[in-house]
Amino acid sequence: MPSLVERVSRTAQFLWSGWSGLAGLSVFAAFWQVAHEAYGSFILPSPLETLAAAKALLGEASAWQLLLTTSSRALSGFALAGVIGTVSGCIAGFHPAILRLVQPQITLMLGVPPIAWIVLLMIWFGTGSATVTTTAAVACLPIVFLGAAEGIASRDRLLDDMALSLGMGRVRRFFHITVPQMLNRLLPILVMALGTAFKAAVMAELLANAGGIGEALAVSRSNLDVANALAWILLSVSALLGVEYGLIQPTRSELEVWRHAARPWGVKR
Amino acid sequence: MNALHLNGIGHAFLGRTVLDRITLDIGDGELVALVGPSGCGKSTLLHIAAGLLEPRQGHIIRTYERHAVVFQEPRLLPWATARKNIGVALPERLSARDRDDRILAAAAAVALEVEDLDKYPVQLSGGMKQRTAIARALASEADFLFFDEPFTALDPALRRHMQDIVIRHVGSGKRGGLFITHDMVEAVRIAHRVVVLDRRGKGISGKRHIAPMPGERDERMIFETVQHFMKEDPLFRHVEELLERRPG
Protein backbone atom coordinates (compact mmCIF):
# COMPACT_ATOMS: atom_id res chain seq x y z
CA MET A 1 0.00 0.00 0.00
CA PRO A 2 1.31 3.45 -0.86
CA SER A 3 2.01 5.66 2.12
CA LEU A 4 -0.30 8.45 3.20
CA VAL A 5 2.09 11.13 1.97
CA GLU A 6 2.19 9.61 -1.49
CA ARG A 7 -1.56 9.40 -1.55
CA VAL A 8 -2.01 13.03 -0.53
CA SER A 9 0.52 14.17 -3.10
CA ARG A 10 -1.20 12.13 -5.79
CA THR A 11 -4.58 13.59 -4.88
CA ALA A 12 -3.14 17.09 -4.90
CA GLN A 13 -1.60 16.50 -8.32
CA PHE A 14 -4.92 15.20 -9.57
CA LEU A 15 -6.77 18.26 -8.27
CA TRP A 16 -4.12 20.55 -9.71
CA SER A 17 -4.61 18.93 -13.11
CA GLY A 18 -8.21 20.16 -12.84
CA TRP A 19 -6.98 23.62 -13.90
CA SER A 20 -6.04 22.34 -17.34
CA GLY A 21 -9.46 20.71 -17.61
CA LEU A 22 -11.06 24.00 -16.65
CA ALA A 23 -8.97 25.83 -19.26
CA GLY A 24 -10.13 23.38 -21.94
CA LEU A 25 -13.75 23.86 -20.91
CA SER A 26 -13.32 27.64 -21.04
CA VAL A 27 -12.19 27.42 -24.65
CA PHE A 28 -15.30 25.38 -25.40
CA ALA A 29 -17.46 27.96 -23.62
CA ALA A 30 -15.84 30.73 -25.68
CA PHE A 31 -16.83 29.05 -28.95
CA TRP A 32 -20.30 28.50 -27.54
CA GLN A 33 -20.54 32.19 -26.69
CA VAL A 34 -19.50 33.16 -30.26
CA ALA A 35 -22.17 30.88 -31.71
CA HIS A 36 -24.71 32.33 -29.29
CA GLU A 37 -23.88 35.87 -30.40
CA ALA A 38 -24.25 34.83 -34.04
CA TYR A 39 -27.59 33.01 -33.73
CA GLY A 40 -29.29 34.62 -30.76
CA SER A 41 -30.78 33.32 -27.52
CA PHE A 42 -33.69 31.46 -29.04
CA ILE A 43 -31.54 29.04 -31.05
CA LEU A 44 -28.58 28.84 -28.69
CA PRO A 45 -28.67 30.43 -25.24
CA SER A 46 -25.33 31.69 -23.94
CA PRO A 47 -23.29 29.57 -21.52
CA LEU A 48 -24.16 31.90 -18.64
CA GLU A 49 -27.90 31.64 -19.35
CA THR A 50 -27.56 27.87 -19.44
CA LEU A 51 -25.68 27.87 -16.16
CA ALA A 52 -28.38 30.04 -14.62
CA ALA A 53 -31.05 27.64 -15.88
CA ALA A 54 -29.13 24.69 -14.50
CA LYS A 55 -28.75 26.47 -11.16
CA ALA A 56 -32.47 27.14 -11.07
CA LEU A 57 -33.13 23.46 -11.80
CA LEU A 58 -30.84 22.34 -9.04
CA GLY A 59 -32.85 24.50 -6.64
CA GLU A 60 -35.81 22.15 -7.12
CA ALA A 61 -35.90 18.86 -5.26
CA SER A 62 -37.67 17.17 -8.18
CA ALA A 63 -34.72 17.87 -10.47
CA TRP A 64 -32.39 16.06 -8.07
CA GLN A 65 -34.84 13.19 -8.07
CA LEU A 66 -34.70 13.02 -11.88
CA LEU A 67 -30.91 13.11 -11.91
CA LEU A 68 -30.76 10.38 -9.33
CA THR A 69 -33.23 8.22 -11.27
CA THR A 70 -31.27 8.46 -14.50
CA SER A 71 -27.91 7.95 -12.80
CA SER A 72 -29.05 4.89 -10.91
CA ARG A 73 -30.56 3.38 -14.05
CA ALA A 74 -27.42 4.07 -16.09
CA LEU A 75 -25.22 2.75 -13.30
CA SER A 76 -27.19 -0.45 -12.83
CA GLY A 77 -27.13 -1.03 -16.58
CA PHE A 78 -23.39 -0.38 -16.56
CA ALA A 79 -22.88 -2.71 -13.59
CA LEU A 80 -24.94 -5.44 -15.24
CA ALA A 81 -22.97 -5.18 -18.47
CA GLY A 82 -19.73 -4.91 -16.50
CA VAL A 83 -20.31 -8.14 -14.60
CA ILE A 84 -21.74 -10.19 -17.48
CA GLY A 85 -19.27 -8.79 -20.00
CA THR A 86 -16.21 -9.30 -17.80
CA VAL A 87 -17.08 -12.84 -16.77
CA SER A 88 -18.00 -13.99 -20.27
CA GLY A 89 -15.07 -12.07 -21.73
CA CYS A 90 -12.69 -13.88 -19.39
CA ILE A 91 -14.07 -17.24 -20.41
CA ALA A 92 -13.83 -16.38 -24.09
CA GLY A 93 -10.33 -14.98 -23.63
CA PHE A 94 -9.08 -18.30 -22.34
CA HIS A 95 -10.76 -20.30 -25.10
CA PRO A 96 -10.04 -19.00 -28.59
CA ALA A 97 -12.71 -21.30 -30.05
CA ILE A 98 -15.43 -19.66 -27.94
CA LEU A 99 -14.10 -16.21 -28.84
CA ARG A 100 -14.34 -17.08 -32.51
CA LEU A 101 -17.93 -18.26 -32.10
CA VAL A 102 -18.97 -15.21 -30.09
CA GLN A 103 -17.22 -12.60 -32.21
CA PRO A 104 -19.87 -12.56 -34.99
CA GLN A 105 -22.60 -12.20 -32.38
CA ILE A 106 -20.80 -9.22 -30.92
CA THR A 107 -20.59 -7.65 -34.37
CA LEU A 108 -24.29 -8.35 -34.75
CA MET A 109 -25.05 -6.72 -31.40
CA LEU A 110 -22.96 -3.69 -32.27
CA GLY A 111 -24.71 -3.45 -35.63
CA VAL A 112 -28.26 -3.34 -34.25
CA PRO A 113 -29.13 0.37 -33.82
CA PRO A 114 -29.78 1.29 -30.17
CA ILE A 115 -33.15 2.66 -31.18
CA ALA A 116 -34.18 -0.81 -32.35
CA TRP A 117 -33.22 -2.23 -28.98
CA ILE A 118 -35.40 0.36 -27.28
CA VAL A 119 -38.42 -0.58 -29.42
CA LEU A 120 -37.92 -4.27 -28.68
CA LEU A 121 -37.33 -3.73 -24.96
CA MET A 122 -40.38 -1.48 -24.73
CA ILE A 123 -42.46 -4.30 -26.16
CA TRP A 124 -40.92 -6.81 -23.76
CA PHE A 125 -40.61 -4.81 -20.55
CA GLY A 126 -43.03 -1.91 -21.01
CA THR A 127 -42.00 1.69 -20.38
CA GLY A 128 -40.29 1.50 -17.01
CA SER A 129 -36.92 1.32 -15.37
CA ALA A 130 -36.27 -2.17 -16.71
CA THR A 131 -36.30 -0.96 -20.31
CA VAL A 132 -33.93 1.91 -19.58
CA THR A 133 -31.53 -0.21 -17.55
CA THR A 134 -31.49 -3.00 -20.11
CA THR A 135 -30.90 -0.54 -22.96
CA ALA A 136 -27.93 0.88 -21.11
CA ALA A 137 -26.61 -2.64 -20.43
CA VAL A 138 -27.08 -3.80 -24.02
CA ALA A 139 -25.32 -0.69 -25.31
CA CYS A 140 -22.14 -1.29 -23.33
CA LEU A 141 -22.08 -5.08 -23.08
CA PRO A 142 -20.25 -5.76 -26.39
CA ILE A 143 -17.35 -3.39 -25.71
CA VAL A 144 -16.89 -4.64 -22.15
CA PHE A 145 -16.91 -8.22 -23.39
CA LEU A 146 -14.37 -7.51 -26.13
CA GLY A 147 -12.18 -5.55 -23.71
CA ALA A 148 -12.08 -8.37 -21.18
CA ALA A 149 -11.59 -11.05 -23.84
CA GLU A 150 -8.75 -9.20 -25.50
CA GLY A 151 -7.21 -8.39 -22.13
CA ILE A 152 -7.05 -12.10 -21.36
CA ALA A 153 -6.10 -13.25 -24.85
CA SER A 154 -3.25 -10.75 -25.15
CA ARG A 155 -1.77 -11.56 -21.76
CA ASP A 156 1.96 -12.05 -21.47
CA ARG A 157 2.49 -15.83 -21.66
CA LEU A 158 6.03 -15.40 -20.39
CA LEU A 159 4.61 -14.23 -17.06
CA ASP A 160 2.34 -17.28 -17.01
CA ASP A 161 5.38 -19.53 -17.45
CA MET A 162 7.19 -17.63 -14.75
CA ALA A 163 4.32 -18.13 -12.31
CA LEU A 164 4.01 -21.78 -13.23
CA SER A 165 7.74 -22.31 -12.74
CA LEU A 166 7.47 -20.85 -9.23
CA GLY A 167 4.79 -23.38 -8.41
CA MET A 168 1.86 -20.96 -8.20
CA GLY A 169 -1.50 -22.70 -8.40
CA ARG A 170 -4.12 -22.10 -11.06
CA VAL A 171 -6.34 -19.81 -8.99
CA ARG A 172 -3.41 -17.80 -7.69
CA ARG A 173 -2.01 -17.40 -11.18
CA PHE A 174 -5.38 -16.17 -12.40
CA PHE A 175 -5.81 -13.52 -9.72
CA HIS A 176 -2.19 -12.41 -9.40
CA ILE A 177 -0.93 -12.64 -12.95
CA THR A 178 -3.83 -12.65 -15.41
CA VAL A 179 -6.42 -10.36 -13.81
CA PRO A 180 -4.09 -7.35 -13.46
CA GLN A 181 -3.17 -7.69 -17.13
CA MET A 182 -6.81 -7.89 -18.11
CA LEU A 183 -7.75 -4.85 -16.00
CA ASN A 184 -5.00 -2.96 -17.73
CA ARG A 185 -6.91 -3.34 -21.00
CA LEU A 186 -10.39 -3.25 -19.49
CA LEU A 187 -10.29 -0.10 -17.36
CA PRO A 188 -10.12 2.47 -20.21
CA ILE A 189 -12.93 0.55 -21.88
CA LEU A 190 -15.02 0.68 -18.71
CA VAL A 191 -14.69 4.47 -18.74
CA MET A 192 -16.01 4.50 -22.29
CA ALA A 193 -18.77 2.04 -21.41
CA LEU A 194 -19.92 4.24 -18.54
CA GLY A 195 -20.40 7.17 -20.92
CA THR A 196 -22.27 4.93 -23.32
CA ALA A 197 -24.53 3.71 -20.52
CA PHE A 198 -25.50 7.29 -19.58
CA LYS A 199 -26.19 8.26 -23.18
CA ALA A 200 -28.24 5.13 -23.83
CA ALA A 201 -30.20 5.61 -20.59
CA VAL A 202 -31.15 9.21 -21.39
CA MET A 203 -32.14 8.24 -24.92
CA ALA A 204 -34.24 5.34 -23.72
CA GLU A 205 -35.98 7.57 -21.17
CA LEU A 206 -36.78 10.12 -23.83
CA LEU A 207 -38.19 7.59 -26.27
CA ALA A 208 -39.98 5.43 -23.74
CA ASN A 209 -41.25 8.41 -21.74
CA ALA A 210 -39.89 6.67 -18.67
CA GLY A 211 -39.10 9.62 -16.40
CA GLY A 212 -35.58 10.78 -15.56
CA ILE A 213 -33.53 13.29 -17.53
CA GLY A 214 -34.79 11.91 -20.83
CA GLU A 215 -38.36 12.81 -20.06
CA ALA A 216 -37.36 16.25 -18.77
CA LEU A 217 -35.62 16.79 -22.11
CA ALA A 218 -38.76 15.73 -23.95
CA VAL A 219 -40.78 18.28 -21.95
CA SER A 220 -38.26 21.05 -22.73
CA ARG A 221 -38.50 20.13 -26.37
CA SER A 222 -42.29 20.39 -26.47
CA ASN A 223 -42.02 23.81 -24.75
CA LEU A 224 -39.24 24.85 -27.17
CA ASP A 225 -37.27 25.78 -24.03
CA VAL A 226 -33.72 25.53 -25.38
CA ALA A 227 -32.11 26.96 -22.24
CA ASN A 228 -33.78 24.29 -20.14
CA ALA A 229 -32.81 21.52 -22.57
CA LEU A 230 -29.18 22.66 -22.54
CA ALA A 231 -29.31 22.86 -18.76
CA TRP A 232 -30.45 19.25 -18.61
CA ILE A 233 -27.69 18.20 -20.98
CA LEU A 234 -25.23 20.05 -18.79
CA LEU A 235 -26.56 18.30 -15.70
CA SER A 236 -26.44 14.84 -17.25
CA VAL A 237 -22.87 15.40 -18.41
CA SER A 238 -22.00 16.61 -14.91
CA ALA A 239 -23.57 13.49 -13.42
CA LEU A 240 -21.43 11.37 -15.72
CA LEU A 241 -18.30 13.35 -14.86
CA GLY A 242 -19.17 13.04 -11.18
CA VAL A 243 -19.36 9.25 -11.44
CA GLU A 244 -16.26 9.02 -13.58
CA TYR A 245 -14.03 11.22 -11.45
CA GLY A 246 -15.57 10.14 -8.16
CA LEU A 247 -15.60 6.40 -8.80
CA ILE A 248 -13.83 5.13 -11.90
CA GLN A 249 -10.73 7.32 -12.01
CA PRO A 250 -9.80 6.87 -8.33
CA THR A 251 -10.09 3.08 -8.77
CA ARG A 252 -7.99 3.30 -11.86
CA SER A 253 -5.27 5.41 -10.33
CA GLU A 254 -5.22 3.07 -7.32
CA LEU A 255 -4.60 0.12 -9.64
CA GLU A 256 -2.20 1.92 -11.92
CA VAL A 257 0.28 3.57 -9.60
CA TRP A 258 3.00 1.77 -11.51
CA ARG A 259 1.93 3.46 -14.72
CA HIS A 260 2.27 6.81 -13.01
CA ALA A 261 5.78 5.84 -11.94
CA ALA A 262 6.64 5.00 -15.54
CA ARG A 263 5.58 8.40 -16.88
CA PRO A 264 8.28 10.93 -17.68
CA TRP A 265 8.37 13.95 -15.42
CA GLY A 266 6.94 16.39 -17.98
CA VAL A 267 3.83 14.27 -18.53
CA LYS A 268 3.14 13.86 -14.82
CA ARG A 269 2.63 17.58 -14.24
CA MET B 1 21.30 -39.17 -4.11
CA ASN B 2 20.24 -37.22 -7.16
CA ALA B 3 18.13 -34.12 -6.93
CA LEU B 4 17.09 -34.29 -10.55
CA HIS B 5 17.12 -37.27 -12.85
CA LEU B 6 16.26 -36.92 -16.53
CA ASN B 7 15.93 -40.22 -18.31
CA GLY B 8 15.73 -40.61 -22.08
CA ILE B 9 14.09 -37.27 -22.67
CA GLY B 10 12.96 -36.58 -26.23
CA HIS B 11 10.95 -33.75 -27.66
CA ALA B 12 9.72 -32.54 -31.04
CA PHE B 13 8.12 -29.34 -32.24
CA LEU B 14 5.70 -29.90 -35.13
CA GLY B 15 7.35 -33.17 -36.01
CA ARG B 16 10.86 -31.72 -35.96
CA THR B 17 12.92 -33.53 -33.36
CA VAL B 18 14.79 -31.10 -31.15
CA LEU B 19 15.83 -33.42 -28.34
CA ASP B 20 16.47 -37.13 -28.37
CA ARG B 21 17.49 -39.58 -25.63
CA ILE B 22 18.83 -37.05 -23.16
CA THR B 23 19.86 -38.54 -19.85
CA LEU B 24 21.23 -36.28 -17.16
CA ASP B 25 21.63 -36.53 -13.40
CA ILE B 26 22.21 -33.63 -11.07
CA GLY B 27 23.26 -34.36 -7.52
CA ASP B 28 22.11 -32.71 -4.31
CA GLY B 29 23.66 -29.29 -3.99
CA GLU B 30 25.38 -29.63 -7.33
CA LEU B 31 25.37 -26.84 -9.91
CA VAL B 32 25.63 -28.12 -13.45
CA ALA B 33 26.29 -25.83 -16.40
CA LEU B 34 24.75 -27.00 -19.64
CA VAL B 35 26.46 -25.63 -22.72
CA GLY B 36 25.96 -26.22 -26.40
CA PRO B 37 25.75 -24.30 -29.63
CA SER B 38 22.94 -21.85 -30.15
CA GLY B 39 19.72 -23.59 -31.15
CA CYS B 40 20.68 -27.08 -29.94
CA GLY B 41 17.69 -27.35 -27.59
CA LYS B 42 19.22 -26.26 -24.27
CA SER B 43 16.27 -24.04 -23.36
CA THR B 44 13.79 -26.69 -24.39
CA LEU B 45 15.53 -29.19 -22.12
CA LEU B 46 15.35 -26.71 -19.25
CA HIS B 47 11.67 -26.04 -19.87
CA ILE B 48 11.03 -29.77 -19.79
CA ALA B 49 13.09 -30.27 -16.63
CA ALA B 50 11.25 -27.37 -14.95
CA GLY B 51 7.86 -28.82 -15.88
CA LEU B 52 6.90 -26.02 -18.28
CA LEU B 53 6.81 -28.44 -21.22
CA GLU B 54 5.69 -32.04 -21.38
CA PRO B 55 8.36 -34.20 -23.00
CA ARG B 56 7.34 -36.55 -25.81
CA GLN B 57 9.49 -39.34 -24.44
CA GLY B 58 11.31 -40.13 -21.26
CA HIS B 59 10.60 -39.34 -17.64
CA ILE B 60 11.81 -37.03 -14.93
CA ILE B 61 12.40 -37.85 -11.28
CA ARG B 62 12.65 -34.92 -8.91
CA THR B 63 13.63 -35.55 -5.30
CA TYR B 64 13.82 -31.89 -4.31
CA GLU B 65 10.73 -30.16 -2.96
CA ARG B 66 10.39 -26.96 -4.96
CA HIS B 67 12.12 -25.41 -7.85
CA ALA B 68 12.21 -21.95 -9.38
CA VAL B 69 13.41 -20.65 -12.72
CA VAL B 70 15.42 -17.54 -13.48
CA PHE B 71 14.70 -16.69 -17.10
CA GLN B 72 16.71 -14.82 -19.67
CA GLU B 73 14.35 -11.85 -19.22
CA PRO B 74 13.56 -10.75 -15.66
CA ARG B 75 9.81 -11.41 -16.20
CA LEU B 76 8.77 -9.10 -13.38
CA LEU B 77 5.18 -8.00 -12.89
CA PRO B 78 5.18 -4.38 -14.12
CA TRP B 79 2.34 -3.38 -11.81
CA ALA B 80 4.04 -4.57 -8.62
CA THR B 81 6.95 -3.09 -6.70
CA ALA B 82 10.21 -5.00 -6.42
CA ARG B 83 9.10 -6.03 -2.91
CA LYS B 84 5.87 -7.56 -4.19
CA ASN B 85 7.64 -9.14 -7.12
CA ILE B 86 10.05 -10.90 -4.81
CA GLY B 87 7.17 -12.03 -2.60
CA VAL B 88 4.93 -13.19 -5.42
CA ALA B 89 5.57 -16.88 -4.91
CA LEU B 90 5.72 -16.92 -1.12
CA PRO B 91 3.26 -19.31 0.47
CA GLU B 92 0.00 -17.58 1.39
CA ARG B 93 -0.11 -19.01 4.88
CA LEU B 94 2.85 -16.84 5.97
CA SER B 95 2.23 -13.99 8.37
CA ALA B 96 2.96 -10.47 7.14
CA ARG B 97 6.04 -10.34 9.31
CA ASP B 98 7.49 -13.65 8.06
CA ARG B 99 6.75 -12.55 4.56
CA ASP B 100 8.61 -9.34 5.00
CA ASP B 101 11.56 -11.12 6.64
CA ARG B 102 11.83 -13.54 3.75
CA ILE B 103 11.67 -10.76 1.18
CA LEU B 104 14.32 -8.73 2.98
CA ALA B 105 16.59 -11.77 3.33
CA ALA B 106 16.29 -12.57 -0.36
CA ALA B 107 16.89 -8.94 -1.31
CA ALA B 108 19.96 -8.84 0.92
CA ALA B 109 21.24 -12.04 -0.68
CA VAL B 110 21.28 -10.39 -4.09
CA ALA B 111 22.50 -7.03 -2.71
CA LEU B 112 19.33 -5.10 -3.48
CA GLU B 113 19.06 -1.94 -1.40
CA VAL B 114 16.02 -1.55 0.81
CA GLU B 115 15.03 1.75 -0.80
CA ASP B 116 14.89 0.08 -4.21
CA LEU B 117 12.34 -2.42 -2.96
CA ASP B 118 9.50 0.07 -3.25
CA LYS B 119 10.31 0.94 -6.85
CA TYR B 120 8.46 -0.45 -9.83
CA PRO B 121 10.33 -2.50 -12.44
CA VAL B 122 10.31 0.44 -14.89
CA GLN B 123 12.32 2.43 -12.36
CA LEU B 124 14.98 -0.26 -11.96
CA SER B 125 18.07 -0.76 -14.11
CA GLY B 126 18.61 -3.97 -16.08
CA GLY B 127 20.91 -5.42 -13.44
CA MET B 128 18.55 -4.58 -10.60
CA LYS B 129 15.66 -6.19 -12.47
CA GLN B 130 17.59 -9.40 -12.94
CA ARG B 131 18.67 -9.32 -9.29
CA THR B 132 15.02 -8.94 -8.31
CA ALA B 133 14.23 -11.98 -10.43
CA ILE B 134 16.93 -13.99 -8.66
CA ALA B 135 15.67 -12.79 -5.28
CA ARG B 136 12.19 -13.94 -6.26
CA ALA B 137 13.57 -17.40 -7.02
CA LEU B 138 15.54 -17.50 -3.74
CA ALA B 139 12.58 -16.27 -1.66
CA SER B 140 10.32 -18.99 -3.01
CA GLU B 141 12.11 -21.55 -0.78
CA ALA B 142 13.16 -23.44 -3.86
CA ASP B 143 15.81 -26.05 -3.20
CA PHE B 144 16.59 -26.39 -6.88
CA LEU B 145 17.10 -23.51 -9.30
CA PHE B 146 17.02 -23.41 -13.05
CA PHE B 147 18.82 -20.64 -14.90
CA ASP B 148 18.05 -20.04 -18.57
CA GLU B 149 20.91 -17.85 -19.83
CA PRO B 150 19.97 -15.25 -17.24
CA PHE B 151 22.87 -12.84 -17.64
CA THR B 152 23.18 -12.64 -21.41
CA ALA B 153 21.81 -9.11 -21.56
CA LEU B 154 24.11 -7.71 -18.87
CA ASP B 155 27.50 -6.09 -19.29
CA PRO B 156 30.60 -8.11 -18.27
CA ALA B 157 31.28 -6.48 -14.88
CA LEU B 158 27.65 -6.82 -13.83
CA ARG B 159 27.60 -10.36 -15.14
CA ARG B 160 30.52 -11.33 -12.91
CA HIS B 161 28.77 -9.78 -9.95
CA MET B 162 25.64 -11.82 -10.69
CA GLN B 163 27.68 -14.99 -11.12
CA ASP B 164 29.13 -14.42 -7.66
CA ILE B 165 25.61 -14.22 -6.28
CA VAL B 166 24.80 -17.54 -7.93
CA ILE B 167 27.99 -19.13 -6.57
CA ARG B 168 27.13 -17.94 -3.05
CA HIS B 169 23.56 -19.17 -3.00
CA VAL B 170 23.42 -22.16 -5.31
CA GLY B 171 25.62 -25.20 -5.25
CA SER B 172 27.94 -25.53 -2.23
CA GLY B 173 25.51 -27.99 -0.68
CA LYS B 174 22.64 -25.52 -0.28
CA ARG B 175 20.66 -25.82 -3.47
CA GLY B 176 21.18 -27.75 -6.63
CA GLY B 177 20.88 -26.06 -9.96
CA LEU B 178 20.98 -26.33 -13.71
CA PHE B 179 22.53 -23.35 -15.44
CA ILE B 180 22.22 -22.88 -19.16
CA THR B 181 24.71 -20.63 -20.87
CA HIS B 182 26.65 -20.31 -24.06
CA ASP B 183 29.39 -18.35 -22.33
CA MET B 184 32.19 -20.81 -21.50
CA VAL B 185 33.78 -18.44 -18.97
CA GLU B 186 30.49 -18.26 -17.11
CA ALA B 187 30.12 -22.04 -17.15
CA VAL B 188 33.66 -22.60 -15.86
CA ARG B 189 33.30 -19.93 -13.17
CA ILE B 190 30.13 -21.13 -11.51
CA ALA B 191 29.60 -24.84 -12.12
CA HIS B 192 30.83 -27.99 -10.45
CA ARG B 193 30.42 -29.78 -13.72
CA VAL B 194 30.07 -28.66 -17.33
CA VAL B 195 27.83 -30.77 -19.53
CA VAL B 196 27.81 -30.39 -23.30
CA LEU B 197 24.62 -31.00 -25.24
CA ASP B 198 24.97 -32.51 -28.68
CA ARG B 199 24.70 -29.88 -31.38
CA ARG B 200 21.67 -31.58 -32.88
CA GLY B 201 20.12 -32.35 -29.51
CA LYS B 202 20.90 -36.08 -29.83
CA GLY B 203 22.00 -36.92 -26.33
CA ILE B 204 24.68 -35.50 -24.09
CA SER B 205 28.06 -35.28 -25.84
CA GLY B 206 30.07 -35.40 -22.65
CA LYS B 207 30.90 -33.75 -19.36
CA ARG B 208 33.89 -32.31 -17.55
CA HIS B 209 34.35 -31.94 -13.81
CA ILE B 210 36.19 -28.85 -12.68
CA ALA B 211 38.31 -29.53 -9.64
CA PRO B 212 38.32 -26.58 -7.20
CA MET B 213 34.95 -25.59 -5.78
CA PRO B 214 33.24 -22.65 -7.49
CA GLY B 215 34.20 -19.50 -5.62
CA GLU B 216 37.67 -20.88 -4.93
CA ARG B 217 38.72 -20.54 -8.54
CA ASP B 218 40.79 -17.56 -9.52
CA GLU B 219 40.48 -15.66 -12.79
CA ARG B 220 43.71 -17.11 -14.15
CA MET B 221 42.63 -20.70 -13.54
CA ILE B 222 39.25 -19.97 -15.17
CA PHE B 223 40.92 -18.38 -18.17
CA GLU B 224 43.31 -21.29 -18.63
CA THR B 225 40.58 -23.90 -18.25
CA VAL B 226 38.45 -22.18 -20.86
CA GLN B 227 41.44 -21.91 -23.21
CA HIS B 228 42.18 -25.58 -22.70
CA PHE B 229 38.56 -26.60 -23.33
CA MET B 230 38.17 -24.50 -26.43
CA LYS B 231 41.54 -25.18 -28.05
CA GLU B 232 42.40 -28.74 -27.11
CA ASP B 233 39.29 -30.54 -25.92
CA PRO B 234 37.34 -32.06 -28.86
CA LEU B 235 34.19 -32.12 -26.70
CA PHE B 236 33.84 -28.35 -26.97
CA ARG B 237 34.52 -28.17 -30.72
CA HIS B 238 30.97 -27.23 -31.66
CA VAL B 239 30.00 -25.16 -28.65
CA GLU B 240 30.52 -21.78 -30.28
CA GLU B 241 28.89 -22.68 -33.56
CA LEU B 242 25.80 -20.77 -34.60
CA LEU B 243 23.12 -23.11 -35.83
CA GLU B 244 19.91 -21.21 -35.16
CA ARG B 245 17.99 -22.65 -38.11
CA ARG B 246 19.25 -25.86 -39.56
CA PRO B 247 17.44 -28.19 -41.94
CA GLY B 248 16.12 -31.52 -40.67
Side-chain angles (χ1 to χ4, degrees):
Chain A
M1 278 286 109
S3 70
L4 189 66
V5 178
E6 258 175 69
R7 203 170 287 261
V8 168
S9 105
R10 238 172 42 223
T11 313
Q13 271 180 36
F14 176 70
L15 291 178
W16 184 249
S17 73
W19 286 115
S20 60
L22 218 55
L25 287 179
S26 306
V27 173
F28 179 75
F31 280 112
W32 182 353
Q33 180 72 26
V34 169
H36 156 74
E37 280 164 21
Y39 294 103
S41 269
F42 181 68
I43 303 287
L44 187 68
S46 75
L48 284 178
E49 281 174 70
T50 310
L51 275 178
K55 209 174 145 198
L57 279 178
L58 285 180
E60 303 163 25
S62 62
W64 283 99
Q65 194 55 47
L66 290 182
L67 269 177
L68 201 67
T69 311
T70 303
S71 302
S72 69
R73 285 167 173 174
L75 276 179
S76 34
F78 170 72
L80 198 67
V83 171
I84 298 176
T86 308
V87 171
S88 54
C90 281
I91 296 170
F94 279 114
H95 304 282
I98 296 182
L99 187 58
R100 239 173 261 167
L101 283 177
V102 177
Q103 202 111 43
Q105 298 169 42
I106 294 291
T107 316
L108 205 81
M109 249 178 115
L110 283 170
V112 176
I115 203 98
W117 281 114
I118 296 171
V119 170
L120 281 177
L121 293 169
M122 272 165 67
I123 296 170
W124 292 336
F125 297 134
T127 57
S129 273
T131 303
V132 178
T133 305
T134 319
T135 307
V138 166
C140 46
L141 183 63
I143 49 173
V144 175
F145 171 84
L146 281 183
E150 274 175 29
I152 297 270
S154 68
R155 69 193 187 276
D156 188 350
R157 315 277 164 141
L158 297 183
L159 291 181
D160 281 354
D161 271 0
M162 179 276 292
L164 189 64
S165 77
L166 287 169
M168 287 167 79
R170 194 179 287 266
V171 175
R172 209 163 162 210
R173 282 207 307 274
F174 178 70
F175 285 109
H176 284 82
I177 310 289
T178 315
V179 167
Q181 292 183 70
M182 179 199 69
L183 286 181
N184 210 354
R185 182 67 75 96
L186 188 62
L187 283 172
I189 285 169
L190 283 182
V191 172
M192 208 163 75
L194 180 68
T196 309
F198 263 87
K199 282 185 279 188
V202 171
M203 189 174 65
E205 283 172 349
L206 189 142
L207 290 163
N209 231 355
I213 296 174
E215 197 178 316
L217 273 172
V219 171
S220 311
R221 187 200 58 113
S222 55
N223 296 339
L224 289 180
D225 188 350
V226 186
N228 218 30
L230 282 175
W232 276 115
I233 295 173
L234 196 68
L235 289 181
S236 65
V237 172
S238 316
L240 169 65
L241 288 180
V243 174
E244 180 172 339
Y245 284 97
L247 205 74
I248 305 270
Q249 293 291 358
T251 319
R252 197 174 165 188
S253 75
E254 192 63 30
L255 288 169
E256 297 193 335
V257 188
W258 66 279
R259 214 178 264 289
H260 185 73
R263 250 168 240 152
W265 184 249
V267 181
K268 279 183 192 166
R269 295 292 147 95
Chain B
M1 188 66 178
N2 287 325
L4 177 70
H5 173 69
L6 303 175
N7 190 9
I9 299 293
H11 196 67
F13 287 120
L14 301 170
R16 194 172 67 94
T17 304
V18 286
L19 291 174
D20 196 20
R21 293 188 307 275
I22 309 277
T23 297
L24 178 65
D25 288 307
I26 298 177
D28 270 339
E30 185 188 29
L31 182 58
V32 169
L34 183 69
V35 298
S38 217
C40 71
K42 301 187 294 274
S43 280
T44 311
L45 184 62
L46 180 134
H47 280 74
I48 289 172
L52 297 175
L53 267 180
E54 274 300 311
R56 290 289 175 88
Q57 291 115 36
H59 61 268
I60 304 162
I61 300 168
R62 304 185 179 95
T63 56
Y64 54 79
E65 279 182 16
R66 275 184 85 132
H67 65 228
V69 184
V70 180
F71 295 93
Q72 190 164 357
E73 323 80 34
R75 300 200 186 180
L76 301 176
L77 309 176
W79 58 85
T81 56
R83 188 188 297 275
K84 285 201 184 130
N85 264 296
I86 294 173
V88 75
L90 287 177
E92 266 166 2
R93 58 185 155 76
L94 284 183
S95 71
R97 183 187 216 127
D98 279 352
R99 233 182 148 71
D100 217 41
D101 286 348
R102 292 267 192 94
I103 292 171
L104 286 178
V110 298
L112 263 181
E113 313 247 333
V114 175
E115 64 248 38
D116 289 332
L117 287 182
D118 290 317
K119 289 184 179 163
Y120 290 90
V122 281
Q123 296 168 302
L124 298 174
S125 70
M128 288 202 276
K129 278 186 215 165
Q130 198 57 288
R131 266 186 276 171
T132 310
I134 298 177
R136 177 178 64 195
L138 294 176
S140 72
E141 281 191 317
D143 45 1
F144 195 93
L145 290 180
F146 292 98
F147 295 87
D148 187 5
E149 302 190 28
F151 309 141
T152 314
L154 304 179
D155 66 75
L158 201 51
R159 198 187 291 193
R160 264 203 300 283
H161 179 66
M162 308 294 261
Q163 288 161 1
D164 289 337
I165 291 171
V166 172
I167 293 169
R168 253 200 313 280
H169 297 283
V170 189
S172 59
K174 285 181 200 147
R175 300 177 175 89
L178 177 64
F179 196 108
I180 288 189
T181 178
H182 56 234
D183 177 2
M184 282 303 297
V185 179
E186 185 164 78
V188 171
R189 266 193 103 211
I190 62 169
H192 297 99
R193 184 155 59 106
V194 179
V195 172
V196 182
L197 192 60
D198 176 69
R199 64 185 175 132
R200 295 193 185 281
K202 295 201 167 60
I204 299 285
S205 302
K207 58 184 183 199
R208 294 285 179 272
H209 280 275
I210 302 169
M213 291 299 279
E216 291 163 12
R217 300 168 189 166
D218 58 40
E219 295 300 321
R220 185 190 171 86
M221 177 260 163
I222 292 167
F223 178 77
E224 278 167 3
T225 313
V226 171
Q227 288 297 309
H228 169 73
F229 281 168
M230 300 309 288
K231 296 228 167 82
E232 290 155 41
D233 197 329
L235 179 60
F236 293 93
R237 207 172 44 216
H238 298 295
V239 165
E240 295 208 320
E241 273 178 12
L242 289 168
L243 291 166
E244 279 288 345
R245 290 276 170 272
R246 57 182 193 274

